């Protein structure tokens, strides 16, 4: 029996639903949103629990965390405590504009994101 994994959504597709999950301006857990986004992207249980080749972390959770990091450096999200996130006023303003997606070119409009990318 061969197990075929569907491709995971790229970080650029995860960012908008992640940001929208915080539109209520409350503090949210990354682990809770992992379940929500897994259902949102219709991932099966194998895809939700798949571990990175390097081990130690679920692959989908890893992508969510990087998506959250990108949004943090664009000042759309903030981390009130480890493992949690909250929308910023800038993030709320972005959602008011109803973007179709939040890819790197979209985030590049923010000076802080560009500065962080240059450092990487």
């Amino acid at each position: 029996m061969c197990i075929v994994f569907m491709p995971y959504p790229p970080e650029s597709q995860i960012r908008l639903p992640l940001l929208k999950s915080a539109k209520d301006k409350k503090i949210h857990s990354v682990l809770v949103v992992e379940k929500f986004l897994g259902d949102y992207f219709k991932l099966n249980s194998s895809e939700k629990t798949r571990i990175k080749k390097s081990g130690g972390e679920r692959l989908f959770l890893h992508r969510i965390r990087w998506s959250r990091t990108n949004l943090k450096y664009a000042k759309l999200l903030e981390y009130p405590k480890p493992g949690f996130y909250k929308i910023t006023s800038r993030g709320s303003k972005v959602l008011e504009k109803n973007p179709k997606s939040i890819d790197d070119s979209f985030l590049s409009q923010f000076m802080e994101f560009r500065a962080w990318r240059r450092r990487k």
Side-chain angles (χ1 to χ4, degrees), residues 64-83:
I64 292 168
R65 286 184 171 151
W66 269 111
S67 299
R68 182 181 68 136
T69 297
N70 282 269
L71 294 172
K72 174 190 168 197
Y73 280 102
K75 304 288 186 196
L76 304 182
L77 291 178
E78 61 187 12
Y79 298 176
K81 56 187 176 179

Side-chain angles (χ1 to χ4, degrees), residues 22-39:
K23 69 182 174 187
D24 62 5
K25 301 182 181 177
K26 295 180 181 178
I27 295 173
H28 294 270
S29 164
V30 173
L31 297 178
V32 172
V33 82
E34 177 188 18
K35 181 182 178 343
F36 165 75
L37 290 174
D39 294 343

Side-chain angles (χ1 to χ4, degrees), residues 78-94:
E78 61 187 12
Y79 298 176
K81 56 187 176 179
F84 292 82
Y85 63 97
K86 182 180 178 190
I87 199 165
T88 63
S89 59
R90 180 186 281 179
S92 293
K93 288 177 186 171
V94 163

